[in-house]
Amino acid sequence: MAQNVKGYTLTQSEYIKEIDCTVNIYKHDRTQAQILYLENDDPHKTFGIAFRTPPHDSTGVPHIIEHSVLCGSRKFPLKDPFIELSKGSLNTYLNAMTYPDKTIYPISSQNDADFYNLMDVYLDAVFFPNIYKSDNILMQEGWRYHIEEVDAPLEYKGVVYNEMKGAFSSPEEVGFRKIKEALFPDNTYHNESGGAPEAIVDLSYEDFLAFHKKYYHPSNSYIGLYGNLDIEEVLTFMERDYLAHFDYQPVESSIEDQAPFEKVKEVTTYYSVTEEKPNQLYVSYNCVTGKTVDRELMVGLAILEYVLLETPASPLKKALLSEGIGEDVFGAFQTHLKQPIFSIMAKNVGEDKKARFYEVIEETLRSVVEKGISKSLLNGALQIKEFELREGDFKGYSKGLLWYIGTMKSWIYDEDPTIYLKYETLLEGLKAKKDTGYFEALIETYLLNNTHSVKMTIEPKVGLDAVIEEKVKTKLAKIKDSWSPEMLQACIDKTLAFNEAQQTPDSEEALHTIPLLKREELDQKAMFPRFEKTIKNNTEYIVSPLFTNQVVYLNHFIDLEGVPEESLPYLGMLVGMLSKLDTKSYAYEDLSMAIDEHLGGIQFHIQALHQVQTRGDYRKLFVVKTKALFDQLEDQVKLVHTIMNETSFEDKRRIREIIKEMKSMMEMSLSSEGHKIAYGVLLGSFSEAEYFDELTKGLIFYKQVCKIDEEWEINQDQVIASLKQAYSYFMNHSRYTIGLTVDEGLVEACKAAVEKGLSQLEATPIEKVELTFNPRVVREGLIYPGNVNYVAMGYNFRKLGFNYHGGYMMLKTILSMDYLWNEVRVKNGAYGCFADFRKSGNMFFVSYRDPNVAKTLEIYRNLPNYVENLKLSERELVQYLIGTISGMDFPYTASTEGYTGQVYALVGTTEEDIQQIRDEIFTTNNETLRSFAKAIRKVLEENEYCVFGNATSIANNDSLFDTTVSL
């Protein structure tokens, strides 16, 4: 119940039924800090503090400060409280994020003591950071000159500097940055809040501090709280320890509107490729569309973007693809700005199709306005949006976390923060307007007749990344040459002093300032999902009878045992094709609309699951995941049956469109998921299960899709025959296991409905077929057109005679949060790095957005020495125990609990297995940890690694590789 608290004024209190919370808004009397409390009985608590932080240039100062304030503060004077919290907190969320106009610091935890600890550390970090004591934190997290001896080349280093080099390695990110620059020439959005690499190195220490001093003040703060809290206690704590230290200070941080243009702009920019090919343009049409605070308009435009561009039936997507304009067409609707951007994009467009791209957009949109949007398409989009809002499944993250971040779409612009928490009236209004021409009018106003727009072309340039690197080297060489011997020596001395400071460990006194739970406060009982296995009409069901609010989560697991190797890549292709092709009952457009009208979602994926009891054995599965309201169950089952048993492969044009789209989507993920490429290739060289993943969704699969696309005119009939053959494996009742998560009283009705579909299939015995797997030694460099590297090294320790132990999970926490974090990230500038030890025996270490190759491999090779010499105190052991348990005890939702139970049942994981691992973690000590050094040493002696990196780095380290491959 809302209450006044001393030092604060309660300005608003309102129960919002959609989120089942009373929303209380307070204002701190002294500083006018604003506090929003979402009050309910949820023990999964959230705290967040945000500041409006409009950048004035592209030096990335908001982003660098976001990193830097978490590097020590008044009450917590160690070098990295953030990582200390990550090591030893039961948090369910711990992060910070920089937006174009705001910076947010949110945390969540289900443990009361842990929640207060996290809140204390974050408040101290943002208000009293150690950044004022010296420029070392800016040098580490932002940028620095790095040179250790007179004859060495001068370098730029820094975590954010390297992160943003990686971010702008992809043409999509280059495009989004340039679109924002072009649409907002006169306000803060023209600047890159994350930092443009070429501008980051212009950030001075003085400007860095001035930005913090101006914006990180309670008068410019937006504080969020959620859950079952003693609000008086929390607010009193914030007042006493933090807010009372400040007086009100007017902070000019408002976001000025960009005036609209008189006419549409045209802009061209460039991205890097390894070789020039035809059809490499990225083209887009981008419009500023209203204000984010207009919730109805935002949801209306989001629905419109889905209708026009996101489904196989979308008229604009279809029109562009049917004319062969690009390999992929997609939309983006960015609402994290005061003035949102609606984008229509095409990838891999020929120069001869560029003008036609814009013509087709105008012709199609005018036709849609004139004829009206398909009612089925619009109804389906509205149904998807409503299902998403009503389901409220945040995959185990605190609902308060997502709701708090959502309030920023209005609150940060001085509007009512509850706008984005309500939806009932909004949905009713949009449904009432769907037949009135409302959505067609949106097209006219915001897409056809909107001059505040930019036509953007991104052109390829061979080796642009190398050119940029060379320019940086030349610039640094000139800077070094311009220095006097005394200036050069001063820079060397500063570098060496910085290195020494980084290598100097925190004092015990400083480390002990981070509060820590006691070992006895931890729950030694393992979480285990609720499920039961039953047989009905020869079909195995794995059922979790849980409260789902009448949502049916229905999963079909299709066993791929006995499928020959040549069919596996085609099964991988079916992941991207199913539900997008004609069936006996539906044209593909109608099928897409039926899915949206009747389901809350459908997903397809393929994976190998390691069996628990049999070493080296694994299950190969094709998975169909669906969700729908119970009153749509009949349609849910019918649609799955139609897709899995009645799909037609006769439309060659449509199949080719999907192949191009699939290739495009994989290309877009290359630069952001380079670490997965690197360790996927590595593991696939010595592990059969991971080789299966490579064949069906990894780099081998990507190359095959590219080859099929290139040779389509010659081999299309053979490809279609192979797709049909792969598809035929779904026609066997014997292959199906059903996963079902639903309210207990609905279980039998769901089984009966599923049986109607499965009963139409014949049951044929499955014969076991061995995969032709030839392990190979991998020392490979994969070249892509980017500016950073991803370095993976590892092997399978079971193959070398070692067994798995739960203590490896604690060692993973230790290495990822201590040794690798310090050596790879802090000292050598990579954005991320981690270790992994899997029950299958696969052990690997991988870096993310890394400027180095050889140095990182050397760091990995020193791991055994580090582990052999571990001498952790009892406090450190408890800290790492907590951090490890935190990752294991992520809260279930009905859908995640059900799916986890289904996977456990499929691979034979028992509650005893999970409890044994947890018990082993709780009993892990220094001796246990040191015993793992032998396995790590043997794994690293295999000397197998894969680097997904830029051409310059691969060339400079050529002697390390047996093979190099250009992608």
Side-chain angles (χ1 to χ4, degrees), residues 139 143-150 152-156 476 479-480 483-499:
M139 290 170 66
W143 76 278
R144 66 185 182 273
Y145 289 124
H146 187 94
I147 184 167
E148 297 185 7
E149 50 191 46
V150 171
L154 185 64
E155 297 177 90
Y156 288 132
L476 286 166
I479 290 170
K480 183 185 175 186
W483 287 345
S484 65
E486 293 78 16
M487 291 170 69
L488 177 58
Q489 189 57 50
C491 189
I492 293 170
D493 292 344
K494 186 162 188 172
T495 299
L496 296 175
F498 173 80
N499 290 349

mmCIF file of all heavy atoms in Angstrom, residues 139 143-150 152-156 476 479-480 483-499:
data_model
loop_
_atom_site.group_PDB
_atom_site.id
_atom_site.type_symbol
_atom_site.label_atom_id
_atom_site.label_comp_id
_atom_site.label_asym_id
_atom_site.label_seq_id
_atom_site.Cartn_x
_atom_site.Cartn_y
_atom_site.Cartn_z
ATOM 1 N N MET A 139 42.044 5.145 -19.048
ATOM 2 C CA MET A 139 43.030 4.477 -19.903
ATOM 3 C C MET A 139 42.666 3.010 -20.128
ATOM 4 O O MET A 139 42.862 2.484 -21.221
ATOM 5 C CB MET A 139 44.427 4.580 -19.273
ATOM 6 C CG MET A 139 45.009 5.991 -19.286
ATOM 7 S SD MET A 139 46.508 6.095 -18.289
ATOM 8 C CE MET A 139 47.629 5.035 -19.220
ATOM 9 N N TRP A 143 40.458 4.544 -23.659
ATOM 10 C CA TRP A 143 41.557 4.404 -24.609
ATOM 11 C C TRP A 143 42.836 4.907 -23.952
ATOM 12 O O TRP A 143 42.804 5.663 -22.976
ATOM 13 C CB TRP A 143 41.285 5.183 -25.893
ATOM 14 C CG TRP A 143 41.496 6.679 -25.725
ATOM 15 C CD1 TRP A 143 40.611 7.569 -25.191
ATOM 16 C CD2 TRP A 143 42.669 7.407 -26.065
ATOM 17 N NE1 TRP A 143 41.153 8.823 -25.190
ATOM 18 C CE2 TRP A 143 42.412 8.767 -25.731
ATOM 19 C CE3 TRP A 143 43.897 7.074 -26.634
ATOM 20 C CZ2 TRP A 143 43.357 9.775 -25.925
ATOM 21 C CZ3 TRP A 143 44.828 8.069 -26.837
ATOM 22 C CH2 TRP A 143 44.561 9.406 -26.492
ATOM 23 N N ARG A 144 43.968 4.485 -24.530
ATOM 24 C CA ARG A 144 45.266 4.965 -24.062
ATOM 25 C C ARG A 144 46.305 4.783 -25.161
ATOM 26 O O ARG A 144 46.133 3.948 -26.054
ATOM 27 C CB ARG A 144 45.717 4.208 -22.815
ATOM 28 C CG ARG A 144 46.000 2.727 -23.049
ATOM 29 C CD ARG A 144 46.325 2.005 -21.744
ATOM 30 N NE ARG A 144 46.648 0.596 -21.937
ATOM 31 C CZ ARG A 144 45.757 -0.381 -21.979
ATOM 32 N NH1 ARG A 144 44.461 -0.097 -21.884
ATOM 33 N NH2 ARG A 144 46.139 -1.635 -22.138
ATOM 34 N N TYR A 145 47.364 5.572 -25.089
ATOM 35 C CA TYR A 145 48.569 5.273 -25.867
ATOM 36 C C TYR A 145 49.296 4.152 -25.136
ATOM 37 O O TYR A 145 49.428 4.175 -23.914
ATOM 38 C CB TYR A 145 49.489 6.488 -25.939
ATOM 39 C CG TYR A 145 48.986 7.616 -26.811
ATOM 40 C CD1 TYR A 145 48.828 8.895 -26.279
ATOM 41 C CD2 TYR A 145 48.696 7.409 -28.155
ATOM 42 C CE1 TYR A 145 48.392 9.948 -27.076
ATOM 43 C CE2 TYR A 145 48.257 8.443 -28.956
ATOM 44 C CZ TYR A 145 48.101 9.715 -28.412
ATOM 45 O OH TYR A 145 47.665 10.750 -29.196
ATOM 46 N N HIS A 146 49.771 3.162 -25.902
ATOM 47 C CA HIS A 146 50.466 2.037 -25.285
ATOM 48 C C HIS A 146 51.796 1.835 -25.998
ATOM 49 O O HIS A 146 51.842 1.584 -27.211
ATOM 50 C CB HIS A 146 49.616 0.767 -25.392
ATOM 51 C CG HIS A 146 50.191 -0.397 -24.641
ATOM 52 N ND1 HIS A 146 49.833 -0.701 -23.353
ATOM 53 C CD2 HIS A 146 51.130 -1.323 -24.999
ATOM 54 C CE1 HIS A 146 50.508 -1.765 -22.940
ATOM 55 N NE2 HIS A 146 51.304 -2.161 -23.926
ATOM 56 N N ILE A 147 52.896 1.956 -25.234
ATOM 57 C CA ILE A 147 54.233 1.678 -25.774
ATOM 58 C C ILE A 147 55.142 1.330 -24.599
ATOM 59 O O ILE A 147 55.176 2.049 -23.598
ATOM 60 C CB ILE A 147 54.784 2.873 -26.596
ATOM 61 C CG1 ILE A 147 56.131 2.510 -27.225
ATOM 62 C CG2 ILE A 147 54.838 4.165 -25.776
ATOM 63 C CD1 ILE A 147 56.587 3.493 -28.283
ATOM 64 N N GLU A 148 55.865 0.214 -24.712
ATOM 65 C CA GLU A 148 56.650 -0.267 -23.574
ATOM 66 C C GLU A 148 58.145 -0.079 -23.756
ATOM 67 O O GLU A 148 58.895 -0.212 -22.791
ATOM 68 C CB GLU A 148 56.320 -1.737 -23.310
ATOM 69 C CG GLU A 148 54.856 -1.957 -22.918
ATOM 70 C CD GLU A 148 54.550 -3.393 -22.546
ATOM 71 O OE1 GLU A 148 55.498 -4.202 -22.455
ATOM 72 O OE2 GLU A 148 53.362 -3.713 -22.345
ATOM 73 N N GLU A 149 58.592 0.183 -24.995
ATOM 74 C CA GLU A 149 60.023 0.436 -25.205
ATOM 75 C C GLU A 149 60.196 1.350 -26.405
ATOM 76 O O GLU A 149 59.306 1.478 -27.262
ATOM 77 C CB GLU A 149 60.784 -0.876 -25.394
ATOM 78 C CG GLU A 149 60.175 -1.815 -26.414
ATOM 79 C CD GLU A 149 60.809 -3.194 -26.378
ATOM 80 O OE1 GLU A 149 60.988 -3.753 -25.283
ATOM 81 O OE2 GLU A 149 61.127 -3.694 -27.472
ATOM 82 N N VAL A 150 61.352 1.975 -26.485
ATOM 83 C CA VAL A 150 61.595 3.044 -27.465
ATOM 84 C C VAL A 150 61.364 2.583 -28.895
ATOM 85 O O VAL A 150 60.777 3.308 -29.713
ATOM 86 C CB VAL A 150 63.038 3.599 -27.303
ATOM 87 C CG1 VAL A 150 63.371 4.555 -28.451
ATOM 88 C CG2 VAL A 150 63.188 4.297 -25.965
ATOM 89 N N ALA A 152 59.496 0.139 -30.021
ATOM 90 C CA ALA A 152 58.190 -0.502 -30.280
ATOM 91 C C ALA A 152 57.254 0.491 -30.960
ATOM 92 O O ALA A 152 57.388 1.704 -30.801
ATOM 93 C CB ALA A 152 57.578 -0.987 -28.974
ATOM 94 N N PRO A 153 56.290 -0.018 -31.746
ATOM 95 C CA PRO A 153 55.306 0.893 -32.342
ATOM 96 C C PRO A 153 54.338 1.409 -31.281
ATOM 97 O O PRO A 153 54.018 0.704 -30.322
ATOM 98 C CB PRO A 153 54.585 0.015 -33.371
ATOM 99 C CG PRO A 153 54.738 -1.376 -32.849
ATOM 100 C CD PRO A 153 56.059 -1.419 -32.147
ATOM 101 N N LEU A 154 53.879 2.632 -31.464
ATOM 102 C CA LEU A 154 52.857 3.203 -30.594
ATOM 103 C C LEU A 154 51.507 2.584 -30.962
ATOM 104 O O LEU A 154 51.182 2.436 -32.144
ATOM 105 C CB LEU A 154 52.820 4.719 -30.776
ATOM 106 C CG LEU A 154 51.887 5.518 -29.866
ATOM 107 C CD1 LEU A 154 52.303 5.397 -28.412
ATOM 108 C CD2 LEU A 154 51.879 6.985 -30.299
ATOM 109 N N GLU A 155 50.701 2.211 -29.950
ATOM 110 C CA GLU A 155 49.407 1.579 -30.199
ATOM 111 C C GLU A 155 48.305 2.304 -29.434
ATOM 112 O O GLU A 155 48.570 2.991 -28.446
ATOM 113 C CB GLU A 155 49.416 0.118 -29.722
ATOM 114 C CG GLU A 155 50.386 -0.792 -30.420
ATOM 115 C CD GLU A 155 50.357 -2.177 -29.809
ATOM 116 O OE1 GLU A 155 49.552 -3.016 -30.281
ATOM 117 O OE2 GLU A 155 51.103 -2.424 -28.843
ATOM 118 N N TYR A 156 47.068 2.112 -29.912
ATOM 119 C CA TYR A 156 45.897 2.470 -29.127
ATOM 120 C C TYR A 156 45.401 1.205 -28.442
ATOM 121 O O TYR A 156 45.296 0.148 -29.073
ATOM 122 C CB TYR A 156 44.747 2.970 -30.006
ATOM 123 C CG TYR A 156 44.933 4.335 -30.614
ATOM 124 C CD1 TYR A 156 44.691 4.534 -31.973
ATOM 125 C CD2 TYR A 156 45.305 5.433 -29.847
ATOM 126 C CE1 TYR A 156 44.815 5.785 -32.559
ATOM 127 C CE2 TYR A 156 45.439 6.694 -30.422
ATOM 128 C CZ TYR A 156 45.193 6.865 -31.778
ATOM 129 O OH TYR A 156 45.313 8.104 -32.342
ATOM 130 N N LEU A 476 49.564 6.981 -35.768
ATOM 131 C CA LEU A 476 50.313 6.746 -34.535
ATOM 132 C C LEU A 476 51.820 6.903 -34.756
ATOM 133 O O LEU A 476 52.529 7.426 -33.884
ATOM 134 C CB LEU A 476 49.998 5.348 -34.001
ATOM 135 C CG LEU A 476 48.615 5.196 -33.354
ATOM 136 C CD1 LEU A 476 48.252 3.734 -33.177
ATOM 137 C CD2 LEU A 476 48.572 5.909 -32.011
ATOM 138 N N ILE A 479 52.533 10.554 -34.764
ATOM 139 C CA ILE A 479 52.480 11.094 -33.398
ATOM 140 C C ILE A 479 53.772 10.756 -32.660
ATOM 141 O O ILE A 479 54.387 11.618 -32.016
ATOM 142 C CB ILE A 479 51.263 10.515 -32.638
ATOM 143 C CG1 ILE A 479 49.966 11.087 -33.219
ATOM 144 C CG2 ILE A 479 51.352 10.819 -31.145
ATOM 145 C CD1 ILE A 479 48.708 10.407 -32.705
ATOM 146 N N LYS A 480 54.203 9.510 -32.795
ATOM 147 C CA LYS A 480 55.433 9.098 -32.110
ATOM 148 C C LYS A 480 56.637 9.890 -32.625
ATOM 149 O O LYS A 480 57.480 10.351 -31.841
ATOM 150 C CB LYS A 480 55.655 7.596 -32.312
ATOM 151 C CG LYS A 480 56.886 7.058 -31.575
ATOM 152 C CD LYS A 480 57.147 5.594 -31.891
ATOM 153 C CE LYS A 480 58.441 5.145 -31.232
ATOM 154 N NZ LYS A 480 58.815 3.764 -31.624
ATOM 155 N N TRP A 483 57.101 13.393 -31.194
ATOM 156 C CA TRP A 483 57.468 13.556 -29.789
ATOM 157 C C TRP A 483 58.972 13.717 -29.620
ATOM 158 O O TRP A 483 59.775 13.094 -30.325
ATOM 159 C CB TRP A 483 57.026 12.327 -28.984
ATOM 160 C CG TRP A 483 55.543 12.241 -28.768
ATOM 161 C CD1 TRP A 483 54.620 13.217 -28.945
ATOM 162 C CD2 TRP A 483 54.819 11.086 -28.334
ATOM 163 N NE1 TRP A 483 53.354 12.767 -28.653
ATOM 164 C CE2 TRP A 483 53.447 11.456 -28.259
ATOM 165 C CE3 TRP A 483 55.174 9.785 -27.984
ATOM 166 C CZ2 TRP A 483 52.446 10.564 -27.860
ATOM 167 C CZ3 TRP A 483 54.182 8.907 -27.592
ATOM 168 C CH2 TRP A 483 52.837 9.283 -27.524
ATOM 169 N N SER A 484 59.328 14.508 -28.662
ATOM 170 C CA SER A 484 60.733 14.599 -28.269
ATOM 171 C C SER A 484 61.104 13.329 -27.507
ATOM 172 O O SER A 484 60.210 12.599 -27.046
ATOM 173 C CB SER A 484 60.945 15.813 -27.359
ATOM 174 O OG SER A 484 60.237 15.630 -26.140
ATOM 175 N N PRO A 485 62.395 13.041 -27.369
ATOM 176 C CA PRO A 485 62.793 11.854 -26.592
ATOM 177 C C PRO A 485 62.208 11.858 -25.180
ATOM 178 O O PRO A 485 61.827 10.801 -24.657
ATOM 179 C CB PRO A 485 64.312 11.944 -26.561
ATOM 180 C CG PRO A 485 64.664 12.701 -27.803
ATOM 181 C CD PRO A 485 63.566 13.691 -27.998
ATOM 182 N N GLU A 486 62.095 13.048 -24.603
ATOM 183 C CA GLU A 486 61.552 13.136 -23.245
ATOM 184 C C GLU A 486 60.049 12.784 -23.225
ATOM 185 O O GLU A 486 59.571 12.079 -22.318
ATOM 186 C CB GLU A 486 61.752 14.550 -22.686
ATOM 187 C CG GLU A 486 63.204 14.931 -22.434
ATOM 188 C CD GLU A 486 63.944 15.300 -23.725
ATOM 189 O OE1 GLU A 486 63.260 15.556 -24.761
ATOM 190 O OE2 GLU A 486 65.179 15.315 -23.699
ATOM 191 N N MET A 487 59.322 13.251 -24.249
ATOM 192 C CA MET A 487 57.896 12.948 -24.327
ATOM 193 C C MET A 487 57.671 11.453 -24.553
ATOM 194 O O MET A 487 56.772 10.851 -23.965
ATOM 195 C CB MET A 487 57.249 13.764 -25.441
ATOM 196 C CG MET A 487 57.170 15.255 -25.163
ATOM 197 S SD MET A 487 56.664 16.199 -26.611
ATOM 198 C CE MET A 487 54.950 15.691 -26.781
ATOM 199 N N LEU A 488 58.511 10.859 -25.414
ATOM 200 C CA LEU A 488 58.383 9.432 -25.682
ATOM 201 C C LEU A 488 58.653 8.632 -24.412
ATOM 202 O O LEU A 488 57.912 7.695 -24.079
ATOM 203 C CB LEU A 488 59.356 9.019 -26.783
ATOM 204 C CG LEU A 488 59.399 7.519 -27.125
ATOM 205 C CD1 LEU A 488 58.031 7.008 -27.540
ATOM 206 C CD2 LEU A 488 60.423 7.249 -28.233
ATOM 207 N N GLN A 489 59.721 9.018 -23.684
ATOM 208 C CA GLN A 489 60.047 8.296 -22.455
ATOM 209 C C GLN A 489 58.943 8.457 -21.419
ATOM 210 O O GLN A 489 58.607 7.508 -20.690
ATOM 211 C CB GLN A 489 61.375 8.795 -21.882
ATOM 212 C CG GLN A 489 61.897 7.937 -20.728
ATOM 213 C CD GLN A 489 62.069 6.471 -21.115
ATOM 214 O OE1 GLN A 489 62.677 6.160 -22.137
ATOM 215 N NE2 GLN A 489 61.517 5.564 -20.313
ATOM 216 N N ALA A 490 58.316 9.634 -21.400
ATOM 217 C CA ALA A 490 57.213 9.860 -20.455
ATOM 218 C C ALA A 490 56.041 8.939 -20.774
ATOM 219 O O ALA A 490 55.387 8.409 -19.863
ATOM 220 C CB ALA A 490 56.777 11.321 -20.502
ATOM 221 N N CYS A 491 55.780 8.734 -22.062
ATOM 222 C CA CYS A 491 54.685 7.835 -22.456
ATOM 223 C C CYS A 491 55.022 6.390 -22.093
ATOM 224 O O CYS A 491 54.161 5.638 -21.631
ATOM 225 C CB CYS A 491 54.413 7.975 -23.951
ATOM 226 S SG CYS A 491 52.923 7.100 -24.473
ATOM 227 N N ILE A 492 56.287 6.003 -22.309
ATOM 228 C CA ILE A 492 56.710 4.650 -21.931
ATOM 229 C C ILE A 492 56.567 4.460 -20.423
ATOM 230 O O ILE A 492 56.037 3.448 -19.948
ATOM 231 C CB ILE A 492 58.173 4.397 -22.378
ATOM 232 C CG1 ILE A 492 58.266 4.358 -23.909
ATOM 233 C CG2 ILE A 492 58.707 3.102 -21.761
ATOM 234 C CD1 ILE A 492 59.669 4.350 -24.454
ATOM 235 N N ASP A 493 57.014 5.460 -19.670
ATOM 236 C CA ASP A 493 56.925 5.371 -18.206
ATOM 237 C C ASP A 493 55.455 5.262 -17.765
ATOM 238 O O ASP A 493 55.135 4.505 -16.845
ATOM 239 C CB ASP A 493 57.570 6.602 -17.557
ATOM 240 C CG ASP A 493 59.078 6.633 -17.753
ATOM 241 O OD1 ASP A 493 59.654 5.583 -18.117
ATOM 242 O OD2 ASP A 493 59.680 7.715 -17.573
ATOM 243 N N LYS A 494 54.596 6.025 -18.435
ATOM 244 C CA LYS A 494 53.179 5.989 -18.071
ATOM 245 C C LYS A 494 52.589 4.622 -18.395
ATOM 246 O O LYS A 494 51.779 4.079 -17.630
ATOM 247 C CB LYS A 494 52.421 7.091 -18.804
ATOM 248 C CG LYS A 494 50.972 7.222 -18.374
ATOM 249 C CD LYS A 494 50.367 8.558 -18.755
ATOM 250 C CE LYS A 494 48.986 8.699 -18.123
ATOM 251 N NZ LYS A 494 48.420 10.041 -18.283
ATOM 252 N N THR A 495 52.978 4.051 -19.545
ATOM 253 C CA THR A 495 52.497 2.714 -19.917
ATOM 254 C C THR A 495 52.933 1.676 -18.896
ATOM 255 O O THR A 495 52.135 0.844 -18.450
ATOM 256 C CB THR A 495 53.023 2.316 -21.312
ATOM 257 O OG1 THR A 495 52.539 3.243 -22.281
ATOM 258 C CG2 THR A 495 52.568 0.914 -21.690
ATOM 259 N N LEU A 496 54.215 1.730 -18.507
ATOM 260 C CA LEU A 496 54.744 0.750 -17.552
ATOM 261 C C LEU A 496 54.098 0.916 -16.181
ATOM 262 O O LEU A 496 53.790 -0.077 -15.506
ATOM 263 C CB LEU A 496 56.268 0.870 -17.463
ATOM 264 C CG LEU A 496 57.022 0.543 -18.770
ATOM 265 C CD1 LEU A 496 58.515 0.799 -18.611
ATOM 266 C CD2 LEU A 496 56.770 -0.910 -19.193
ATOM 267 N N ALA A 497 53.865 2.161 -15.796
ATOM 268 C CA ALA A 497 53.202 2.411 -14.511
ATOM 269 C C ALA A 497 51.760 1.908 -14.549
ATOM 270 O O ALA A 497 51.258 1.339 -13.572
ATOM 271 C CB ALA A 497 53.235 3.900 -14.181
ATOM 272 N N PHE A 498 51.137 2.114 -15.691
ATOM 273 C CA PHE A 498 49.767 1.620 -15.862
ATOM 274 C C PHE A 498 49.746 0.100 -15.784
ATOM 275 O O PHE A 498 48.891 -0.493 -15.104
ATOM 276 C CB PHE A 498 49.211 2.097 -17.204
ATOM 277 C CG PHE A 498 47.865 1.519 -17.554
ATOM 278 C CD1 PHE A 498 46.713 2.039 -16.994
ATOM 279 C CD2 PHE A 498 47.755 0.451 -18.436
ATOM 280 C CE1 PHE A 498 45.460 1.503 -17.311
ATOM 281 C CE2 PHE A 498 46.514 -0.091 -18.751
ATOM 282 C CZ PHE A 498 45.370 0.451 -18.184
ATOM 283 N N ASN A 499 50.689 -0.557 -16.478
ATOM 284 C CA ASN A 499 50.769 -2.021 -16.433
ATOM 285 C C ASN A 499 50.945 -2.514 -15.001
ATOM 286 O O ASN A 499 50.300 -3.480 -14.570
ATOM 287 C CB ASN A 499 51.942 -2.524 -17.278
ATOM 288 C CG ASN A 499 51.711 -2.331 -18.759
ATOM 289 O OD1 ASN A 499 50.607 -2.012 -19.182
ATOM 290 N ND2 ASN A 499 52.756 -2.513 -19.548
#
